[in-house]
Amino acid sequence: MSLEQMKEELKKRLKPSRFRHSLGVEETAVFLADRFGVDEEQARVAGLLHDCAREFRNEDMVKEAEKRGIAIGEVERSMPLLLHADIGAQRVREIYGVDDKDVSQAIARHTVGGPQMTKLDKIIWYADMIEPGRDFPGVDELRKLAKTASLDEMLLAGLSHSIIFVVKKGHLVHPATVLARNEILLSQQHEAEDGKNS
């Protein structure tokens, strides 16, 4: 399926606002891929299709995940919308013919992050947060970082912002988000220690 065909198919399946968001993430992902030397085509496809499973209603997410053998934790059972990322990772192959493990993984991780995120994973996660249609307190600062900071500095700021937002709302924080944030902090600490010792 060509990119244009993917867009046509996605447009049929998503609400107009969700489709616009998907185009915004695609555009932002390509900008970040260019900046950080990541395959632009992978970034484009993952950005465009990251929310493809949002065609399903929230109350159907558990059933759709079970149908595909996706593991469902307590946090996902409590917040089924989170499952759209893992469902989407399989949906890209089912509907759009995308058979690229890197793209699928980036889609699977675009909502809560995860351990040992690749550059592509990080780009899609961050692009989803700062695409032009997003409007929330602090988004302008996060957009500035996209032009100046390292990928890990950006992600650390984004993950921290996300965790604070979720905590203030009184929601559960997904362990994968905490893990992703801690991994970056630990990596920075190790680099600082290595710098002192060299």
Side-chain angles (χ1 to χ4, degrees), residues 134-172:
R134 291 286 197 205
D135 185 19
F136 57 85
V139 72
D140 290 334
E141 298 310 310
L142 294 170
R143 285 190 183 121
K144 279 180 199 156
L145 291 180
K147 295 182 177 124
T148 57
S150 74
L151 192 49
D152 277 354
E153 285 167 348
M154 282 164 42
L155 204 71
L156 185 59
L159 289 164
S160 300
H161 189 286
S162 179
I163 289 168
I164 290 165
F165 175 79
V166 169
V167 168
K168 280 183 177 168
K169 286 257 190 191
H171 294 316
L172 297 164

Side-chain angles (χ1 to χ4, degrees), residues 18-136:
R18 181 67 43 195
F19 180 67
R20 276 195 306 276
H21 163 71
S22 301
L23 295 179
V25 176
E26 175 197 0
E27 175 193 320
T28 308
V30 169
F31 165 77
L32 291 172
D34 183 50
R35 195 176 158 225
F36 293 108
V38 169
D39 186 294
E40 281 186 29
E41 196 54 34
Q42 286 182 314
R44 187 179 289 287
V45 171
L48 177 68
L49 299 178
H50 77 286
D51 266 353
C52 65
R54 291 295 292 269
E55 68 175 282
F56 299 120
R57 294 177 318 162
N58 208 11
E59 53 268 33
D60 295 333
M61 290 292 179
V62 170
K63 183 183 72 188
E64 291 295 336
E66 284 172 344
K67 208 159 72 177
R68 290 168 178 79
I70 293 166
I72 304 169
E74 278 187 74
V75 177
E76 287 85 0
R77 281 210 189 272
S78 170
M79 301 165 72
L81 182 63
L82 294 177
L83 291 166
H84 82 275
D86 284 313
I87 297 166
Q90 293 192 26
R91 202 86 181 125
V92 289
R93 193 175 57 249
E94 295 167 5
I95 300 294
Y96 301 91
V98 177
D99 198 12
D100 181 328
K101 287 190 179 75
D102 296 337
V103 168
S104 290
Q105 178 174 294
I107 290 171
R109 292 179 165 189
H110 86 265
T111 303
V112 296
Q116 297 171 330
M117 289 173 80
T118 64
K119 279 184 173 183
L120 182 63
D121 295 346
K122 292 172 182 178
I123 282 169
I124 300 305
W125 190 94
Y126 204 78
D128 185 30
M129 189 171 214
I130 66 155
E131 62 92 5
R134 291 286 197 205
D135 185 19
F136 57 85

